[in-house]
Amino acid sequence: MKDILALDVGGTHIRSAWVTDSGMRDDERVHADLRGLTTAAGAGAQEALLAALVQHIELRLEEGNAHAVALGMPGFIDRHGVIAASPNLPGISDFPLKRLLGERLTLPVTVANDALCAARGAWLLEDPRPPSLAMLTLGTGVGGGLVLDGRPVIGDGGTAMEIGHIPMVPKGHPCGCGKRGCLEQYASATALTRIDAEAGGPGRDARELAEAANSGEARAREIYQDAGRYLGLGVATLVQLVDVRTVRIGGGLTRSWNLLEPGLRSSLDENLIPPLRGKIDVAPVAPERIDQIALLGAADLACLDLI
Ligand SMILES: [Zn+2]
């Protein structure tokens, strides 16, 4: 039995697991989850990230033989595993992570966008498996990944499905990507905190806002509803471009799905062409799968030999 060591890497965390690459049901392939820390932000971020990853991976490789290491990372990542930029990881720029890790580990390494990994993993676990699936991940930013007709969509330069950076508001709020008015400035956890402060609130985090909204506070409910409406508009745009009928929502904000859903559904319906209305299956990723999908997807992408 061969195993891939898969990692899900963010600005402050590393999660890793062994993923069996064949011969098992997809929902039984991820095992031995481990969490660690990164401190990849600001000056020296690239060196710190590389050191944290090497340390974590070498520790895990003491447990057994891997035939490949597969990473899911936030950011704009090309087919050669170079991270051009990562809007929510300051200090990462044109960083050839795949090459550098490969040299240190002497193992095949793949590096892919984390939302693409999540989309692939979610698609593998759907039963029945749909032809296509789009994933939106709502956390510090808004990530996106797409499996179309069974194939992961990577794009000419590796940055397909950057739905978090589609322009929503002309000359809107500045985004970490360098533009203004991107979707993630209106529908990420970070955005909700800013919008609360702009509305005269204390700048509560997404969880505090959700508690207030669920207790009946009108402003907190409105902040979530508006975020849902922006997401609905983003999903409608995507659906009309590629005719994907299965859309899954992941990331921390899905804990507040009850608050996002009404705005998302009404906006999606308003912004779809009539033949598509009511035909889009939008739902949050099942809680028991949230921890698996990015790791499973990263390992699967490594097997596909596309990245
Ligand atoms: Zn942006």
Side-chain angles (χ1 to χ4, degrees):
M1 189 181 294
K2 287 184 166 181
D3 283 319
I4 293 176
L5 181 64
L7 285 82
D8 178 23
V9 183
T12 57
H13 73 272
I14 305 173
R15 290 180 49 242
S16 65
W18 292 96
V19 181
T20 306
D21 72 358
S22 64
M24 294 178 80
R25 285 169 37 157
D26 285 319
D27 59 354
E28 293 173 347
R29 288 170 57 193
V30 178
H31 54 102
D33 206 323
L34 182 79
R35 288 160 198 266
L37 295 177
T38 59
T39 49
Q46 299 187 159
E47 293 74 18
L49 175 63
L50 182 63
L53 289 171
V54 169
Q55 186 184 31
H56 185 103
I57 293 166
E58 286 182 340
L59 182 71
R60 295 236 58 182
L61 292 178
E62 290 173 10
E63 297 166 21
N65 289 324
H67 70 94
V69 176
L71 286 84
M73 294 276 308
F76 310 136
I77 304 170
D78 73 12
R79 287 173 190 267
H80 308 291
V82 177
I83 308 173
S86 188
N88 296 301
L89 288 181
I92 305 291
S93 169
D94 291 326
F95 185 42
L97 182 59
K98 173 178 169 160
R99 178 174 63 77
L100 293 172
L101 270 180
E103 287 168 2
R104 296 286 292 272
L105 300 171
T106 60
L107 270 173
V109 174
T110 57
V111 181
N113 176 271
D114 53 358
L116 178 64
C117 295
R120 186 70 183 176
W123 178 79
L124 286 170
L125 293 181
E126 287 284 327
D127 184 22
R129 205 175 276 172
S132 302
L133 179 146
M135 165 70 65
L136 273 70
T137 57
L138 313 178
T140 311
V142 174
L146 177 64
V147 174
L148 195 63
D149 299 326
R151 304 265 303 168
V153 177
I154 296 168
D156 288 353
T159 60
M161 249 319 262
E162 283 295 347
I163 195 168
H165 301 284
I166 58 173
M168 278 283 152
V169 177
K171 299 181 181 163
H173 196 270
C175 183
C177 73
K179 303 194 294 134
R180 303 182 76 101
C182 297
L183 175 61
E184 78 172 32
Q185 295 307 316
Y186 301 91
S188 61
T190 319
L192 299 192
T193 299
R194 187 198 82 240
I195 291 164
D196 182 43
E198 285 172 354
R204 291 166 287 185
D205 66 25
R207 192 182 295 253
E208 292 166 332
L209 274 169
E211 281 169 13
N214 286 322
S215 304
E217 187 198 298
R219 187 173 63 197
R221 292 190 78 81
E222 204 171 302
I223 289 172
Y224 268 99
Q225 172 142 343
D226 288 349
R229 291 189 63 77
Y230 279 114
L231 287 169
L233 183 51
V235 172
T237 306
L238 168 67
V239 165
Q240 278 159 157
L241 285 173
V242 297
D243 193 11
V244 56
R245 305 285 176 104
T246 305
V247 179
R248 295 290 172 259
I249 314 288
L253 274 192
T254 48
R255 281 191 289 267
S256 306
W257 178 247
N258 66 313
L259 300 168
L260 291 169
E261 185 181 11
L264 191 156
R265 290 201 188 280
S266 66
S267 165
L268 177 59
D269 255 10
E270 276 167 33
N271 290 292
L272 280 177
I273 51 173
L276 289 172
R277 285 181 197 153
K279 299 214 170 82
I280 312 305
D281 170 13
V282 186
V285 175
E288 68 274 16
R289 291 185 175 166
I290 281 178
D291 284 346
Q292 287 187 55
I293 56 174
L295 296 164
L296 176 61
D300 192 70
L301 289 175
C303 297
L304 290 177
D305 205 22
L306 294 170
I307 50 174

